[in-house]
Each structure stands twice: as structure tokens, then as C-alpha cells.
Amino acid sequence: MTSERILVLHGPNLNLLGRREPGIYGFTTLPEIDAMLTREAERLEVVVTSQQSNSEGELVSAIQAAWGRECGIVINAAAYTHTSVAIRDALAASQLPTVEVHLSNIYRRESFRQHSYIAPIAIGQISGFGADSYWLGLQALVRHLRQPTTEASEA
Ligand code: DQA
């Protein structure tokens, strides 16, 4: 069996994790999150590639580059979650199953964070578990990719 390939995208300011508002985002750094995802990927027998960008255009290009190469996407679009039609459109166009993740519980925060442009086109959203949101998001995506199709399970 060839391993499923999964792209993990981190949006703006997530390169500052560990130093950035630790009361909200915790002390875990982005390299530590990526290392944890790599370990979990080995256990799940998938291949994870992680990418961080502060630029909306670069995130759109990364999603476009994933077409035909990756099996799914785990994305924390950070502030672009609440503003970016371009990232949502790229994800929708890719037709890749996408899990949206957030370290903080965006529904317990300011009202402007409580709307996500990505949620309606994602298979699901995990929000509020700190660094574990990524870990849970990866597991959820892999389970989704491996579950029998509705047709097959109904047959
Ligand atoms: C975030 C929540 C966003 O509202 C915020 O802009 C971020 C991080 C989170 O992971 O909790 O940068 O996506």
C-alpha cells in the first residue's frame, strides 16, 4: 500500500508560536508541532509535508501545488481564516479533503474570529485543543481518507 500524502499548512504569525501570546496559544513552538506531526504520521503510515507562510498568495500557491500530489490538507489559516475568500476558493477548487484546525477555541474569542470562510468547505474543524488540535486533525483526516465510501458501506 502506498502511504497517503498529507499537506499541513500553517498561516501567518504561527512561526511565532511559543513566544506569541502564550496564554492563548501555549508554549509549544511550530518546529515542535511539526516534529509531533512527523512522529504521528509515521505511526499512521502517512507522509506529512508541513509549510508555513505569512503570505496569503503563498498559501494559495501551496494549495494549488497540492492538486494531484497530496491526498488531503490540514490547515490552520490563522487570521486568514476570518478574511480569505482566496484561500477558501483554492481549497474548494482542489477538491482535497480538508480539516481546519485552530489552537485556540475561536468561538470563545472575539466575534470577528467566530466566522470562518474555510469551515463550510472543510470536512470538519478542530478548535481549542492547543497543539493537540493538529494531532487530532491529522488523525481525523486519515480516518476520513481510509473510511469506506458511503456507497461501499451501504452495499
Ligand atoms: C488561530 C486563531 C486565529 O483567530 C488567529 O488569528 C491565529 C491563530 C488559532 O490557531 O487559534 O493566528 O488560527
Side-chain angles (χ1 to χ4, degrees):
M1 188 182 78
T2 48
S3 300
E4 295 96 338
R5 293 183 55 87
I6 290 165
L7 177 64
V8 178
L9 283 178
H10 309 285
N13 299 309
L14 295 174
N15 53 315
L16 301 177
L17 284 179
R19 289 181 289 150
R20 173 194 181 203
E21 299 181 89
I24 296 175
Y25 299 116
F27 287 97
T28 309
T29 65
L30 197 58
E32 286 168 347
I33 289 175
D34 284 340
M36 175 266 287
L37 289 172
T38 301
R39 281 195 303 275
E40 185 61 9
E42 275 170 25
R43 195 185 71 79
L44 293 167
E45 299 181 334
V46 298
V47 175
V48 161
T49 310
S50 297
Q51 210 174 319
Q52 189 274 332
S53 178
N54 293 322
S55 147
E56 185 177 19
E58 273 181 25
L59 292 164
V60 168
S61 296
I63 295 163
Q64 291 184 5
W67 293 24
R69 205 180 62 189
E70 308 288 339
C71 302
I73 297 176
V74 174
I75 185 167
N76 183 353
Y80 290 138
T81 304
H82 320 298
T83 63
S84 180
V85 177
I87 290 175
R88 173 204 173 114
D89 283 353
L91 290 168
S94 77
Q95 294 188 320
L96 290 170
T98 296
V99 176
E100 174 183 356
V101 301
H102 298 284
L103 298 127
S104 63
N105 180 347
I106 58 173
Y107 301 101
R108 294 183 70 179
R109 301 187 62 195
E110 303 95 322
S111 57
F112 66 85
R113 295 185 202 276
Q114 294 175 20
H115 175 261
S116 165
Y117 279 100
I118 295 169
I121 52 95
I123 55 174
Q125 183 195 68
I126 295 169
S127 176
F129 295 92
D132 282 351
S133 290
Y134 284 96
W135 182 73
L136 293 165
L138 178 61
Q139 291 183 9
L141 180 57
V142 171
R143 284 179 73 91
H144 173 86
L145 291 171
R146 291 182 179 167
Q147 81 192 357
T149 62
T150 310
E151 289 82 1
S153 57
E154 281 171 0

